[in-house]
Each structure stands twice: as structure tokens, then as C-alpha cells.
Amino acid sequence: GQPVDAVTLGPELESKGRLDAVGWDYLGQVALRVPTPDNAVEYARRVRADGLRRRLAAVLHECEQMARSPEHDPEDVISTTQAGLAELGKAQASAGRSIGDAVSNRWARIEAIAHARADGSLAMSGHPTGVTGLDDLTGGWQPGIVSIVCARPGMGKSSLAMATAFACSKAGHGVHVFSLEDSEESYADRLLSRLSRIPSSQLRSARLDNSEVGRVISAVSTLRAEKRWQIDETAGISAEMAVRRMRACKRRTETRVAILDYATLLSRQRGESPHEAASRAMVTLAASAKHDRIAWVVLAQLNRDVEKRPDKRPVLSDLRESGSFEEMSKMVVALYRGAYYGGNPRPGIDYAEGQYAPSHEEWQRQVQLLVLKNSNGPTDTVIARWDGPTTTIW
């Protein structure tokens, strides 16, 4: 059932010990007399198979070396092996496509979004952020790219990440959260607080009346049903390890969005500066976003220089000291809460010139989401709501 020519017949004769009796010279003469360009597909198949064998051997050799080394955790070795094999399988399954097919598929997706909007359904090109105004402006967190959420401490970065996790899970998308700062217990407190509307400080003290207990039990029941929402509290992991752990769960949870809270807590290699570590992490996460077709949302802490300015709203240049964050990210969203700094709201900063100043209560419950960079659309400021006791943003 295979083509018969010098390329295929030679190894066959050799495997049966008959090649010397026939000789390569004779096979060459036959090939010259009977050219077979139709067999080019078979030649390509053999080259492809040999190449796959070499790459497979390389992956397995690397994993074997890691497995024999006491420096590597067995769980990481398993994740690396799974990711390596999955990447090989995906690479072999995809042979690329014509630009015409790519454009046609993209247009079909745009049409589907347009029809869904016309029918009143929630539809966007990316995955929901948890804030309607931000979804309307950006189309959500876009797959295939790294988006940055940056701010000073206390502005609501983790709250926006949690809002994203809730919205994605509700939409049926898998989400993987790497909570490098908060423990699993702290993260659970904030989740329960958001759903029950009971301050997390009150939950931690366990001082609840009967009605509040009922609300917490209802929140627990809701969260128990979440099977596609992963939380990983392992401290000191690297960007490479985060990618491996996400890939290990991706098939089971159908992960569409991965959230890293936050970037400066990633481990560094020996002798590596924070700037170099951040740059290496961004390269790793950008490659994963493109290869795995997911949206990486990376939280970043800004330094105190922001607070030295009269206008304390972050600007894009504040990221320049954070490695490749500004350069490699395709979308940057900064958070600012003027009420955090006290005083009164200022025109042109906390509200638009020529408009009425917000009341004290409105200002306390206001957070600005500044879209500083958006490769897929416009940049602007979105005004969102903030609830301090439950650290909720929407």
C-alpha cells in the first residue's frame, strides 16, 4: 500500500537483508528511468515522522534528566512532560492555514458577535472583565495577548481580578488564578464576602447572625459548583512554572483566562535583577498566550513615584521600570481611587471639568479604570463602582 521507488524500496530491501544482492546502483538506474514525482507526499510524510521522533526523543530525554535530579519536584516534572507532549501533538496537528481562511474565520466570529448583540445577548471578542464599561471599551480580555493591570496598593487590582474570575466563570469560561500574595483562606474570604455582601473582616471574626449565616451558606453553595475556576496559592513560582501548571489543568477546565496576582512576586533566577526577571516573565507569558490561545491578565505593582505627583493617576511611563511590561503588553489598565488619598475630589482629575463634583458617598464608591494602552481599540477612562468593606468592583 506504499509507493514503490528507490527511496522506499531501499530501506525495505535493507531490512530484509536483500539490499546487497540488488545494489543501490541498480535502484538508482531504475529511479532515473521511472521518475515518480507523485510520491513526494510519501517522502514528506517520512521526513515529518523522522523529525517528530527526534523532537519526541529530545522532550523525553529532558524530562528523564529532570526526573532523576533531586532539585526538581515530581509534580513539576509531570507538568513539564505533559506540556511538552501536548505541544508536540499540537504542532503536528497544525500545518498552518491560508490568510484567506484566517480572514474568513475572523469575519465569521465578528458576524456572530454582531448577531448576538442584535439579539440582546452578551457578546464580545474577548473574555469578560467583570466591569461592563471596560468590556464595552475594550471588548474584554483578548485571547492570545498579555494584558497588564497596574496600580498602587489598595486601589483594587485584586478586586478587578476577582471580578474577572467571577464573570468568566459565569460565562462558562475556565479561569486559572495564581494568587502569589494572598493565601487560599484569604482568597476564599474575599470570594465569600463578595457573594454574601458581608465584610471579609466580619467573616474572619465569625461574628454572624442567622440571616448572615444563611447568606454565607448560599455563597458557599454557589462556589462549590464552580469546577472550571482554579486557584493556585503556591508562592515563589516562576513564570515558566505558572505556564506549566496552567497547561496541566487547561484540558480539564477549558481555561480561557489566566490571572497572575502579581508579577513582582514571581521567583528570580540567581544573579537576575528585578528588571531582567520581569522581562523574562513577560516573554514567557506572551509566548504562552499566543501558543495556548488564552488571555493572560498580569497584575503589577507601581512604585511610590506615582504618589509624588499632584495628579496621582498612573500613566503608561510608570511601567517603564518594570521590565518589558510596557513594551510587550497589548493592553494596560491602571486603577485609581482618589478617595484613597483623602481630601476633596479635584476637577480634571477626579471628575471632568465643567461637571458637578461627585458627592462624598459617590466619591468613596468610585474607581477609575484608565485604559492606557489598547492595541485592539481606543483608550479612555471608565468609571466603575467600588465597595470597600467587601473589596468589590463592578
Side-chain angles (χ1 to χ4, degrees):
Q2 297 184 28
V4 178
D5 56 28
V7 175
T8 59
L9 186 57
E12 183 71 17
L13 291 170
E14 186 176 26
S15 68
K16 296 182 179 299
R18 303 279 184 89
L19 182 58
D20 290 340
V22 177
W24 279 110
D25 290 342
Y26 176 73
L27 290 180
Q29 293 173 24
V30 173
L32 289 174
R33 289 170 181 264
V34 189
T36 54
D38 291 341
N39 291 344
V41 173
E42 175 64 18
Y43 307 155
R45 187 194 67 79
R46 292 190 174 215
V47 170
R48 178 175 176 272
D50 289 341
L52 180 57
R53 287 190 186 94
R54 286 193 296 271
R55 289 192 289 274
L56 178 60
V59 169
L60 295 179
H61 175 71
E62 178 186 359
C63 294
E64 181 186 14
Q65 296 297 108
M66 291 179 62
R68 293 181 182 277
S69 172
E71 297 179 359
H72 296 281
D73 186 272
E75 181 183 343
D76 295 336
V77 177
I78 292 173
S79 297
T80 301
T81 305
Q82 291 174 334
L85 294 176
E87 188 171 355
L88 276 178
K90 185 174 181 179
Q92 297 309 307
S94 174
R97 65 175 65 190
S98 70
I99 187 63
D101 288 343
V103 171
S104 296
N105 289 339
R106 181 56 181 161
W107 174 241
R109 173 61 178 157
I110 293 173
E111 280 189 313
I113 294 172
H115 288 313
R117 286 192 180 278
D119 293 339
S121 304
L122 176 64
M124 62 187 75
S125 58
H127 306 298
T129 65
V131 178
T132 303
L134 190 59
D135 288 340
D136 292 339
L137 179 64
T138 65
W141 303 122
Q142 298 297 314
I145 67 172
V146 178
S147 298
I148 302 295
V149 174
C150 60
R152 286 291 296 148
M155 293 295 142
K157 298 185 299 298
S158 297
S159 299
L160 179 58
M162 192 170 293
T164 290
F166 264 104
C168 288
S169 181
K170 184 178 180 180
H173 305 323
V175 58
H176 198 134
V177 179
F178 293 91
S179 182
L180 307 188
E181 183 178 38
D182 290 336
S183 66
E184 184 178 297
E185 290 80 7
S186 177
Y187 193 82
D189 286 347
R190 298 178 70 178
L191 288 174
L192 293 173
S193 176
R194 177 186 172 99
L195 277 182
S196 67
R197 311 303 299 169
I198 298 172
S200 56
S201 58
Q202 187 178 343
L203 285 173
R204 287 192 292 270
S205 66
R207 295 178 179 174
L208 306 170
D209 59 30
N210 289 337
S211 65
E212 290 170 336
V213 169
R215 283 151 57 189
V216 174
I217 291 176
S218 177
V220 170
S221 177
T222 298
L223 291 169
R224 276 178 176 168
E226 298 290 348
K227 302 301 182 184
R228 295 182 178 179
W229 184 344
Q230 295 291 116
I231 172 70
D232 191 329
E233 63 163 354
T234 308
I237 64 173
S238 64
E240 292 82 3
M241 187 180 297
V243 169
R244 290 199 299 268
R245 293 195 174 198
M246 178 277 297
R247 286 173 175 167
C249 300
K250 186 174 185 291
R251 179 171 295 183
R252 174 172 54 86
T253 60
E254 298 183 10
T255 302
R256 304 287 184 83
V257 177
I259 301 172
L260 190 64
D261 185 6
Y262 55 93
T264 49
L265 293 178
L266 289 168
S267 65
R268 300 203 305 256
Q269 295 179 356
R270 180 175 298 179
E272 193 175 43
S273 69
H275 186 281
E276 292 170 335
S279 298
R280 179 174 53 81
M282 280 298 295
V283 170
T284 299
L285 298 178
S288 168
K290 185 174 182 180
H291 178 271
D292 299 308
R293 295 305 301 165
I294 70 167
W296 272 99
V297 181
V298 179
L299 278 56
Q301 195 97 288
L302 298 178
N303 59 39
R304 294 181 180 274
D305 289 343
V306 176
E307 299 178 346
K308 296 177 181 178
R309 303 191 298 257
D311 185 350
K312 296 175 175 56
R313 293 176 297 176
V315 295
L316 194 58
S317 59
D318 291 326
L319 278 173
R320 287 178 184 163
E321 297 303 318
S322 303
S324 300
F325 285 175
E326 180 191 10
E327 177 186 349
M328 297 196 65
S329 58
K330 298 299 182 181
M331 184 158 69
V332 176
V333 178
L335 283 80
Y336 166 78
R337 291 195 301 113
Y340 177 86
Y341 297 105
N344 297 314
R346 293 170 295 173
I349 297 177
D350 299 301
Y351 64 96
E353 295 277 5
Q355 293 186 355
Y356 288 107
S359 66
H360 178 75
E361 181 180 357
E362 290 173 337
W363 195 42
Q364 292 293 327
R365 297 174 64 86
Q366 174 182 294
V367 55
Q368 295 185 28
L369 306 180
L370 300 96
V371 181
L372 304 178
K373 182 179 181 181
N374 183 10
S375 299
N376 298 307
T379 59
D380 203 348
T381 297
V382 175
I383 303 299
R385 300 290 299 278
W386 165 261
D387 182 65
T390 61
T391 61
T392 304
I393 186 172
W394 71 97

